[in-house]
């Protein structure tokens, strides 16, 4: 949903009229501010599906859009059904924007209605082209960029925010601070903080980790076991659970480094992209989109997947000298780059 909203707002500012059809969300207010039309639809359910199809068919007939962009196999199926019976001149081009690993089985068949595909990362493009996926052409790789008016290397939190942070988190003083953003799941490898923190302490570096993830959505058994693991390793005092933060940008800025320990290759990681765009150093495993981002922003932050010794070595060096990812957000990682590349795709499909 966030990608659809950001892209629609960016395209609207460039004179491309958009209509976003989605369930209600807290992001809808941004569409209203940008002048993007929003139409609500109901979530899954047989009756809701047929209602959505009829409504979408009416919308397509009355607005005659050049393109309909979908972000899931279910949405692709609904659009495909809505376009049935339309004559060739009225049928829009269906763009399938793939942002995560497609589900196996019958669910994947919805994508067959798409005329062209985009993938949010090179890793995801390579994955879907290697799998049994209903591609009609090689996907365009179009990353989901940041708003570089909000995330840029010279950005700094306000003095008021900094004062409040220092008051609420006195434990950060004189510590080597590490932010670990993301969902609290086994796939994110938080258990590996045990050897990493232990290794830093043995090197006479006193770390403090801020885990920025929504504890309310975490599996309670997994979360309890994770906390027990940290307690048994006598590391609890070096870890603060921040929960879900609306001010993550500021948290990333005040920490010395951000860390990605994903066990499996990720298709996208918004928080790590924001950290790098803010000019903050990141250490992460060299697979999936993390490897892609670090290759562009900060190659010295790449370590072999699962190599906690290499993570410790890199963090130890950066405790003395902190590298900078650069002075500006590079192409194609700005939302304006995302919008421009989509415009190029649309123009190519229209033969312009």
């Amino acid at each position: 949903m966030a990608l659809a909203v950001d892209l629609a707002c960016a395209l609207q500012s460039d004179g491309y009229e958009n209509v976003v059809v989605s369930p209600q969300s807290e992001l809808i207010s941004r569409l209203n501010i940008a002048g993007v039309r929003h139409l609500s639809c109901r979530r899954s359910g047989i009756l809701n599906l047929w209602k959505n199809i009829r409504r979408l068919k009416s919308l397509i007939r009355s607005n005659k859009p050049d393109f309909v962009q979908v972000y899931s196999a279910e949405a692709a199926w609904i659009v495909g059904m809505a376009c049935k019976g339309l004559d060739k001149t009225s049928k829009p081009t269906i763009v399938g924007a793939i942002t995560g690993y497609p589900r196996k089985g019958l669910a994947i068949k919805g994508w067959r209605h798409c005329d062209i595909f985009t993938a949010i990362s090179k890793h995801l493009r390579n994955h879907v082209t290697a799998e049994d996926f209903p591609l009609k052409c090689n996907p365009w790789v179009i990353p989901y960029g940041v708003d570089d008016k909000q995330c840029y290397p010279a950005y700094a939190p306000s003095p008021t925010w900094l004062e409040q942070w220092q008051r609420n988190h006195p434990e950060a003083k004189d510590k080597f601070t590490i932010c670990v953003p993301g969902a609290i799941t086994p796939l994110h490898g938080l258990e590996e903080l045990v050897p990493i923190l232990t290794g830093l302490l043995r090197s006479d570096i006193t770390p403090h980790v801020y885990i920025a993830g929504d504890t309310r959505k975490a599996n309670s058994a997994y979360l309890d076991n994770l906390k027990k693991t940290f307690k048994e390793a006598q590391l609890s005092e070096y870890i603060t659970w921040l929960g879900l933060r609306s001010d993550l940008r500021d948290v990333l800025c005040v920490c010395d480094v951000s860390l990605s320990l994903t066990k499996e290759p990720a298709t996208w990681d918004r928080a790590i992209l924001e950290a790098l765009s803010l000019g903050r150093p990141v250490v992460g495993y060299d697979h999936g989109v993390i490897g892609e981002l670090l290759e562009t922003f900060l190659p010295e932050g790449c370590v072999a997947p699962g190599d906690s010794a290499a993570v410790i070595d890199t963090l130890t060096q950066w405790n003395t000298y902190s590298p900078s990812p650069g002075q500006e957000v590079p192409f194609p990682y700005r939302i304006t780059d995302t919008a421009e590349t989509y415009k190029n795709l649309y123009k190519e499909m229209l033969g312009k």
Side-chain angles (χ1 to χ4, degrees):
M1 181 62 188
L3 171 56
V5 170
D6 284 348
L7 179 59
C9 292
L11 290 171
Q12 192 80 15
S13 68
D14 283 347
Y16 284 67
E17 186 178 353
N18 288 267
V19 179
V20 173
V21 182
S22 74
Q24 284 294 332
S25 162
E26 67 277 3
L27 298 172
I28 303 306
S29 59
R30 292 193 49 227
L31 295 175
N32 296 331
I33 293 171
V36 179
R37 285 180 62 196
H38 175 260
L39 296 177
S40 295
C41 66
R42 296 183 181 274
R43 296 185 184 275
S44 297
I46 297 299
L47 290 176
N48 289 334
L49 282 176
W50 289 113
K51 287 179 182 178
N52 289 337
I53 289 169
R54 289 197 301 269
R55 191 178 185 196
L56 189 58
K57 185 185 286 286
S58 175
L59 180 68
I60 291 171
R61 281 176 170 164
S62 59
N63 287 270
K64 296 181 172 57
D66 295 307
F67 298 93
V68 176
Q69 191 149 309
V70 296
Y71 295 86
S72 69
E74 180 185 79
W77 183 82
I78 290 172
V79 174
M81 293 297 101
C83 288
K84 277 194 171 184
L86 296 178
D87 60 73
K88 192 172 183 180
T89 58
S90 301
K91 184 179 180 299
T93 298
I94 304 174
V95 180
I98 310 170
T99 58
Y101 293 117
R103 289 181 294 166
K104 302 285 188 179
L106 291 175
I108 205 171
K109 291 187 176 181
W111 291 112
R112 297 183 188 277
H113 295 283
C114 296
D115 301 297
I116 192 168
F117 294 92
T118 66
I120 203 169
S121 62
K122 289 184 284 187
H123 166 74
L124 185 55
R125 186 268 316 274
N126 295 341
H127 173 82
V128 297
T129 53
E131 295 289 319
D132 182 21
F133 192 77
L135 295 172
K136 297 178 181 177
C137 58
N138 203 31
W140 286 48
V141 176
I142 308 182
Y144 174 14
V146 297
D147 182 349
D148 60 337
K149 294 178 182 178
Q150 300 291 324
C151 291
Y152 53 93
Y155 174 82
S158 70
T160 302
W161 187 93
L162 280 171
E163 182 182 352
Q164 185 177 17
W165 173 265
Q166 291 163 0
R167 184 170 59 250
N168 293 341
H169 296 283
E171 72 280 347
K173 187 177 180 181
D174 300 324
K175 303 294 195 307
F176 183 59
T177 51
I178 302 168
C179 183
V180 185
I184 299 171
T185 72
L187 290 177
H188 282 79
L190 292 172
E191 297 87 350
E192 295 187 41
L193 286 171
V194 173
I196 291 169
L197 293 182
T198 302
L200 291 173
L201 289 165
R202 286 174 179 166
S203 299
D204 295 323
I205 296 171
T206 305
H208 198 87
V209 170
Y210 292 95
I211 299 176
D214 194 347
T215 52
R216 295 171 302 177
K217 291 186 177 180
N219 178 279
S220 57
Y222 172 70
L223 182 60
D224 290 343
N225 186 63
L226 196 57
K227 290 180 177 180
K228 180 182 177 183
T229 299
F230 293 149
K231 184 177 181 179
E232 290 176 346
Q234 299 182 344
L235 294 172
S236 297
E237 66 180 288
Y238 302 103
I239 297 170
T240 295
W241 299 83
L242 293 179
L244 184 65
R245 300 287 297 217
S246 60
D247 58 351
L248 181 59
R249 174 179 57 162
D250 295 316
V251 175
L252 293 169
C253 280
V254 296
C255 288
D256 293 308
V257 64
S258 292
L259 191 59
S260 172
L261 301 170
T262 54
K263 293 181 179 180
E264 300 294 333
T267 61
W268 195 245
D269 196 311
R270 178 74 172 185
I272 293 301
L273 173 59
E274 287 188 353
L276 291 166
S277 298
L278 290 162
R280 308 307 300 153
V282 171
V283 180
Y285 290 149
D286 188 12
H287 58 189
V289 76
I290 300 301
E292 289 178 38
L293 292 172
L294 288 171
E295 180 184 359
T296 299
F297 283 87
L298 192 66
E300 56 264 48
C302 281
V303 299
D307 191 347
S308 57
V311 174
I312 295 167
D313 184 57
T314 303
L315 292 176
T316 301
Q317 293 179 50
W318 289 5
N319 180 55
T320 303
Y321 169 74
S322 180
S324 173
Q327 298 304 309
E328 62 181 21
V329 182
F331 179 88
Y333 294 113
R334 298 164 296 189
I335 191 60
T336 49
D337 299 327
T338 306
E340 192 63 33
T341 308
Y342 268 109
K343 286 191 295 184
N344 291 336
L345 181 151
Y346 301 150
K347 290 174 183 177
E348 181 172 305
M349 294 298 290
L350 292 172
K352 296 181 179 180

